[in-house]
Amino acid sequence: MHGIQLVKYGSPKESLVYKEDLPIPKIKSPHEVLVRIKAAGVNPVDAKVASGNIKFSTFIISVPSILGADFAGIIVEKGAAVTEFEVGDEVFGSLYFPSSLNGTYAQYTVVDITKASIAKKPQHLSFEQAASAGIAVLTAYQGIVKNGHRVETHPHEKRKILIAGASGGVGSYGVQLAKTIYAENTVVGICSGKNIEFVKSLGADQVIDYKDEVAYKSFITEEKDTFDIIFDCVGGEDYYRQLDPLLKKNGVYSTAVGPIEHIGSNHIGLFNIVSIISKVGYKKIFAPHTYAVITTLPNADFRNKIAPLFEAKAIHGTVHEDSNIIPLTEGYKAHERLLTHRTVGKIVLKID
């Protein structure tokens, strides 16, 4: 098969190599299926791992290996214990992280249906849009729905939700879920001015341009004690100090990143790890509001709770424009774009 192999840690162009003679992975368990991949989602964690900045990941993902977790494709073989799917089914989802050496940046991958996120792909959803789900929608579901359950309100009570980084891969799903899961929610997004219309198209009731200093300062001054949930997809202490006061007394500060902005974009050493643990621990004990860092993904909820939202067209894929679909042969360009932290929606690899 052809695919992209991580051959060393470094810049995208030197670390990712396109090859046409990679072995097709084999099913080893009766609970596995072999998927012919048509499109693969690309996530920031992939680019950060490939860069070598996340040193502890080298103990989990060795080189050479195939990166990638998100996929959309067709089942071509299945194990004896698989009854939920048939050969020929179009499916989408995400491998269980950490995955094996056979990720999704290739023509084929093996999926363990007892661990990974996998569901039948809705017919109206293209392979590229389906591949944009995976880790991004799982993270948003954990941040908005799972962590949001900690807010002590009636299940059907209207909530006010703020999403920082609303135009990114995770944030764009966060906006959709916030408008879909809770009845009559008010959803406010924070992003750059050029992406305001995109975030509004996802359902946001209001969008704040963080680059407009006057408007942003006015917002954080006037909106104190008004939000039930803040979903932070950017991270960092600055955002936390600015936004946490906007929560109501029993509100939840849910973060997909933690106390370091764009964590993994630079080298993470032992000092950084200790600092992160201490800051998170302090906030969990002494912070004025519930502080929840996303450390696990709700893979078990994908098939029965998340995928039906796509089927019902309550949420949709977040490949914003055709330029976000990159041929597998040029896969390194996807990592280059992710490392700029300026992507809108999701980037996916098209696999022939």
Side-chain angles (χ1 to χ4, degrees):
M1 68 177 182
H2 55 256
I4 294 178
Q5 200 169 49
L6 174 69
V7 298
K8 62 182 293 188
Y9 297 101
S11 68
K13 199 163 188 177
E14 66 182 2
S15 64
L16 300 176
V17 176
Y18 176 78
K19 296 187 176 183
E20 296 183 338
D21 58 351
L22 297 172
I24 296 176
K26 305 293 184 182
I27 288 178
K28 298 179 181 179
S29 161
H31 299 286
E32 293 177 340
V33 295
L34 180 65
V35 176
R36 168 63 165 91
I37 301 175
K38 305 294 287 185
V42 183
N43 292 289
V45 67
D46 301 335
K48 293 169 184 177
V49 166
S51 71
N53 288 334
I54 307 177
K55 289 298 182 183
F56 59 83
S57 67
T58 61
F59 297 103
I60 303 172
I61 303 173
S62 59
V63 294
S65 64
I66 299 171
L67 294 178
D70 301 346
F71 65 88
I74 304 169
I75 293 177
V76 295
E77 185 181 342
K78 69 170 190 170
V82 176
T83 59
E84 300 94 326
F85 302 98
E86 299 295 337
V87 171
D89 283 347
E90 296 181 351
V91 293
F92 72 129
S94 183
L95 301 180
Y96 179 76
F97 185 83
S99 60
S100 66
L101 301 180
N102 296 304
T104 60
Y105 290 9
Q107 280 185 299
Y108 295 90
T109 196
V110 170
V111 182
D112 185 331
I113 70 166
T114 65
K115 296 179 180 179
S117 301
I118 181 171
K120 293 181 181 179
K121 181 184 75 67
Q123 286 299 307
H124 69 267
L125 204 62
S126 69
F127 284 109
E128 289 79 18
Q129 292 291 359
S132 76
I135 287 177
V137 75
L138 287 166
T139 303
Y141 192 86
Q142 181 69 38
I144 296 290
V145 181
K146 294 285 194 177
N147 291 347
H149 285 168
R150 304 185 189 192
V151 176
E152 298 173 3
T153 58
H154 190 276
H156 300 293
E157 184 176 337
K158 181 177 178 180
R159 300 184 183 193
K160 194 170 182 180
I161 300 173
L162 176 64
I163 300 172
S167 61
V170 174
S172 56
Y173 275 116
V175 172
Q176 294 183 76
L177 287 170
K179 291 298 292 185
T180 300
I181 298 297
Y182 301 116
E184 298 182 358
N185 275 346
T186 297
V187 177
V188 180
I190 297 176
C191 66
S192 64
K194 65 180 181 179
N195 298 325
I196 286 178
E197 291 307 314
F198 170 63
V199 175
K200 284 185 177 180
S201 74
L202 299 172
D205 299 286
Q206 181 183 4
V207 186
I208 308 299
D209 179 1
Y210 72 89
K211 292 185 177 181
D212 185 335
E213 295 183 7
V214 175
Y216 183 71
K217 185 176 181 180
S218 175
F219 170 73
I220 61 176
T221 300
E222 297 173 2
E223 294 289 342
K224 293 187 185 300
D225 305 318
T226 63
F227 286 92
D228 297 287
I229 302 169
I230 291 177
F231 183 38
D232 176 14
C233 303
V234 179
E237 292 292 83
D238 287 343
Y239 251 145
Y240 176 75
R241 284 192 292 266
Q242 294 165 11
L243 301 182
D244 186 70
L246 308 189
L247 284 170
K248 295 177 181 177
K249 183 179 179 180
N250 65 342
V252 172
Y253 192 97
S254 175
T255 175
V257 186
I260 296 181
E261 184 176 354
H262 301 305
I263 187 170
S265 298
N266 297 303
H267 171 72
I268 300 177
L270 179 60
F271 174 79
N272 301 112
I273 295 174
V274 172
S275 176
I276 292 169
I277 293 173
S278 63
K279 288 178 179 178
V280 170
Y282 180 87
K283 288 180 175 63
K284 285 187 173 292
I285 298 173
F286 298 108
H289 305 102
T290 298
Y291 184 80
V293 181
I294 297 173
T295 56
T296 60
L297 296 178
N299 292 282
D301 292 320
F302 185 81
R303 193 179 311 164
N304 296 322
K305 295 182 179 179
I306 298 174
L309 297 176
F310 285 97
E311 184 69 55
K313 299 183 180 181
I315 61 176
H316 56 77
T318 57
V319 179
H320 178 47
E321 51 193 20
D322 290 343
S323 62
N324 280 11
I325 302 174
I326 297 176
L328 184 65
T329 53
E330 301 175 355
Y332 71 92
K333 293 181 179 179
H335 280 208
E336 287 179 340
R337 290 177 59 182
L338 283 173
L339 291 173
T340 67
H341 309 299
R342 294 292 181 269
T343 57
V344 181
K346 280 297 297 286
I347 296 176
V348 302
L349 302 177
K350 183 178 179 63
I351 303 175
D352 296 322

